[in-house]
Amino acid sequence: MKTIIAACSQNLSGSRASIQTALRTLLAVPWPSQRDVRSALQLLAVLQWVLSFLLLGTVSLLLLIYLLFTGLWLVPVLYLAWIIFDWDTPEKGGRRLPCLRRWTVWKHFRDYFPVKLVKTHDLSPSRNYIIGSHPHGILCVGAFCNFITGSTGFEELFPGIRSFLTTLAGNFRLPVFREYLMSGGLCPVTRRAIGYLLSQKGTGNAVAIVIGGAAESLSCRPGVTTLILKNRKGFVRMALRHGAFLVPSFSFGENDLFRQVVFEEGSWMRSIQRRFQKMMGFAPCLFYGRGLTSGQSCGFLPYSRPITTVVGEPVAVPKVENPSRELVDRYHELYIRALLKLFNENKTKYGLSESDELHIL
């Protein structure tokens, strides 16, 4: 009996010693610093944004199709009925949710790069505006962060101004994704949608348009500042019809977020990209960024590079219901001059050299 008690006592002592050793080992492990926690939150914020824009629409569509053949078939049927009933909402201002625009996650998203918004001139709430956003880049990070989220203080810098951002109309045909886009203030880049915002929502509306679009993304790469703008005049015509002032903006650093395989003009791969762009509205780019676990590895996340979006001086535009081609050309030229002035006055402040030029095609 004494032998058994002694053995138990020895085992208990050994167990206590093992537990104490384990605790000491655990306490010796360095805890994540506040900087590590912030970096992780920033990375997760960017990850959810990239996955949302690349996969949310497609995954939602496939899920609803799958549910049609299960006992939950009523869910996709009811949602389809809702989409039919709600079909025109994206072109009538959408459904902005201020709470979503103020999500804390967007502050982590902003700080990952970081993204900064710079104001050079006031915008009067008594007028409406079309903001030209340049360049397109791969995923329009600067335009999204500044004009859709409240993380960079657009409403504080421009009091009384409501910002909207336009994107491909096809995105609003995808289930669930359309709700996500509208909640942030995104609208289709169509005449009807833009005209509604500039005529039916009162004043103080600023509609941001990424004018270069999909064609511009094909030439996006670090160190290159080429814009597709010479033959893009529809936004000027819309501004004249509604008397909306034209405002140039440029996101310095946008083209540094990804690396892209650029195919030369005339090559068969470039031809495929052009044809796909005409059919689908967007161009299939072969790009890569950093990986999820390391900034040195390759992946689909953007590199952490600073983006500074500078909003320039408004170009005063009269209201002309049926503007002539000559009038459109005149204000298009004035807009290009304002954009070039904005670029040249700020390029050396935000990472470019004095010799860098803005090429407009």
Side-chain angles (χ1 to χ4, degrees):
M1 189 65 170
K2 291 181 179 180
T3 304
I4 295 174
I5 293 173
C8 289
S9 300
Q10 186 176 0
N11 288 337
L12 288 172
S13 299
S15 299
R16 284 196 296 269
S18 299
I19 293 172
Q20 291 173 353
T21 302
L23 287 173
R24 282 196 295 269
T25 303
L26 181 62
L27 293 174
V29 175
W31 289 87
S33 64
Q34 290 185 353
R35 181 179 179 182
D36 293 335
V37 173
R38 284 197 301 269
S39 297
L41 290 174
Q42 292 166 11
L43 190 63
L44 289 174
V46 173
L47 176 64
Q48 66 82 26
W49 179 78
V50 172
L51 292 179
S52 295
F53 270 83
L54 295 182
L55 300 177
L56 181 58
T58 303
V59 171
S60 299
L61 178 61
L62 293 176
L63 178 60
L64 290 174
I65 293 174
Y66 167 76
L67 290 177
L68 279 173
F69 301 96
T70 69
L72 298 174
W73 60 269
L74 189 60
V75 173
V77 170
L78 290 175
Y79 184 69
L80 177 60
W82 162 252
I83 288 181
I84 294 173
F85 173 78
D86 195 54
W87 190 259
D88 289 335
T89 300
E91 295 197 334
K92 293 182 178 180
R95 275 189 301 273
R96 292 163 60 101
L97 294 179
C99 59
L100 186 142
R101 293 166 66 96
R102 293 194 297 265
W103 269 2
T104 302
V105 69
W106 300 131
K107 294 182 180 179
H108 297 304
F109 179 88
R110 171 201 64 195
D111 294 339
Y112 170 84
F113 298 96
V115 181
K116 182 182 178 182
L117 180 64
V118 176
K119 167 186 172 180
T120 61
H121 292 78
D122 291 329
L123 299 182
S124 172
S126 64
R127 307 207 63 91
N128 286 326
Y129 303 89
I130 290 181
I131 300 178
S133 179
H134 311 275
H136 182 284
I138 296 294
L139 293 178
C140 302
V141 172
F144 176 86
C145 191
N146 288 299
F147 303 128
I148 291 302
T149 79
S151 61
T152 56
F154 182 91
E155 294 180 354
E156 289 74 25
L157 287 174
F158 301 100
I161 304 296
R162 296 177 297 275
S163 61
F164 299 84
L165 179 64
T166 57
T167 185
L168 292 174
N171 289 330
F172 296 89
R173 306 295 179 252
L174 295 172
V176 181
F177 190 44
R178 69 190 294 273
E179 322 299 340
Y180 178 75
L181 294 177
M182 285 192 291
S183 64
L186 282 123
C187 297
V189 60
T190 61
R191 291 181 182 178
R192 183 184 177 191
I194 297 171
Y196 184 91
L197 292 172
L198 296 177
S199 63
Q200 303 296 320
K201 301 278 286 185
T203 59
N205 301 297
V207 184
I209 304 175
V210 186
I211 298 169
E216 195 170 277
S217 66
L218 293 178
S219 59
C220 165
R221 59 185 185 272
V224 176
T225 48
T226 301
L227 304 182
I228 306 296
L229 182 57
K230 275 189 177 179
N231 296 318
R232 301 291 176 96
K233 300 180 181 180
F235 73 103
V236 178
R237 189 176 298 277
M238 288 295 296
L240 284 164
R241 283 178 177 172
H242 298 282
F245 284 16
L246 292 168
V247 183
S249 72
F250 195 93
S251 293
F252 294 92
E254 182 74 45
N255 286 348
D256 298 332
L257 304 182
F258 293 96
R259 302 291 183 267
Q260 182 182 181
V261 180
V262 179
F263 300 100
E264 296 297 328
E265 290 291 344
S267 64
W268 64 276
M269 279 298 297
R270 191 70 162 192
S271 299
I272 291 175
Q273 287 178 314
R274 295 290 189 192
R275 290 179 183 177
F276 192 93
Q277 175 198 332
K278 289 181 180 179
M279 290 188 296
M280 303 301 294
F282 65 94
C285 302
L286 297 180
F287 66 90
Y288 64 91
R290 59 156 290 177
L292 182 60
T293 57
S294 169
Q296 307 303 318
S297 60
C298 290
F300 58 90
L301 295 179
Y303 291 108
S304 178
R305 302 286 188 271
I307 303 172
T308 303
T309 300
V310 185
V311 179
E313 181 179 3
V315 176
V317 175
K319 185 175 182 179
V320 182
E321 188 171 344
N322 293 304
S324 64
R325 179 179 298 179
E326 291 75 17
L327 191 62
V328 171
D329 290 344
R330 175 187 170 190
Y331 280 94
H332 185 263
E333 180 61 30
L334 290 175
Y335 175 82
I336 290 179
R337 290 180 188 174
L339 177 61
L340 288 170
K341 179 183 176 184
L342 174 70
F343 178 82
N344 290 324
E345 287 180 351
N346 292 278
K347 61 184 179 181
T348 56
K349 300 177 185 177
Y350 305 115
L352 299 179
S353 66
E354 189 64 44
S355 60
D356 284 323
E357 296 181 354
L358 185 62
H359 303 284
I360 297 178
L361 303 178

